[in-house]
Amino acid sequence: MTSMHLEKYWHRLSPASKQWLLDNPGCVILPRTISAEINAESGEDADSDSHGETVLSPENIEFIRSRTRQEEPSPAQPTYRFFDSVQP
């Protein structure tokens, strides 16, 4: 059984694929479209189920979570939020 090696091929992934993984750090099963994109970008042929979905290994899940923590802005960096408002 061949599993994905996200840590090894992280540098090959497109910004969109990386962002999807960072936005979904709790995902255990990758949807078939994401699995296909990551396999194409990494050059791997990770196993998938009959629906084309790939189950992430515990190592991949921990790697994604660690990358998510690295990408979070530090408290020293201001976070700008814009809100729509209605004037009276």
Side-chain angles (χ1 to χ4, degrees):
M1 183 169 186
T2 305
S3 64
M4 289 187 168
H5 299 94
L6 292 176
E7 185 172 6
K8 183 176 179 182
Y9 295 112
W10 186 255
H11 66 283
R12 289 188 183 180
L13 301 182
S14 69
S17 294
K18 289 179 184 178
Q19 192 60 52
W20 191 94
L21 292 168
L22 294 174
D23 289 344
N24 299 281
C27 186
V28 177
I29 300 174
L30 295 180
R32 67 180 175 195
T33 53
I34 300 299
S35 295
E37 286 178 25
I38 291 175
N39 281 331
E41 293 167 355
S42 68
E44 287 192 306
D45 190 23
D47 291 337
S48 57
D49 64 13
S50 61
H51 301 288
E53 299 171 328
T54 302
V55 177
L56 291 176
S57 68
E59 293 82 16
N60 282 327
I61 294 169
E62 182 53 38
F63 172 73
I64 294 167
R65 289 179 179 164
S66 71
R67 293 299 300 207
T68 301
R69 289 188 293 270
Q70 290 174 5
E71 298 291 326
E72 290 177 356
S74 67
Q77 296 174 335
T79 303
Y80 297 103
R81 296 185 180 170
F82 296 94
F83 300 94
D84 290 334
S85 63
V86 177
Q87 297 296 324

